[in-house]
Amino acid sequence: MSVSKDGAEQLAIKAIVWLAGNDDLLPVFMGSTGVDEAAFREGVAAPEFQASVLDFIMMDDAWVIAFCDNEGIPYDRLMQARAALPGGAQVHWT
């Protein structure tokens, strides 16, 4: 099953809201990306920023599980949403 671009953006916004409310993980994201509070707020509507949040969450299975369980969505939905956002297309090296 693939996710539409609109569906991917909606899921990414949920991920951003979840991340913003996670007092332990938000500082890790901000520290690793260099994003400050203002840039975080401004990035919410940008598909590239949304994609970066999904990329970040997908770096750790525990984060994927925590987010997906919180939202009641299948674990593979994050990867599907990420594929629908900028830079998410699979690279074919042959």
Side-chain angles (χ1 to χ4, degrees):
M1 176 181 163
S2 65
V3 176
S4 69
K5 184 177 184 287
D6 288 340
E9 290 177 359
Q10 290 172 4
L11 188 134
I13 290 171
K14 287 181 182 182
I16 292 168
V17 170
W18 175 82
L19 181 60
N22 189 316
D23 293 337
D24 295 327
L25 197 52
L26 181 60
V28 176
F29 174 79
M30 294 177 89
S32 66
T33 61
V35 171
D36 63 12
E37 199 172 308
F40 190 88
R41 280 195 205 104
E42 290 172 15
V44 171
E48 294 81 9
F49 181 78
Q50 296 167 359
S52 73
V53 170
L54 294 183
D55 284 340
F56 176 77
I57 292 172
M58 289 190 302
M59 287 180 10
D60 190 309
D61 288 347
W63 302 343
V64 171
I65 292 167
F67 170 68
C68 291
D69 285 354
N70 186 70
E71 294 298 319
I73 60 174
Y75 302 134
D76 63 346
R77 188 70 47 87
L78 278 182
M79 181 180 60
Q80 294 167 356
R82 178 59 188 98
L85 293 172
Q90 288 191 350
V91 176
H92 299 284
W93 298 102
T94 58

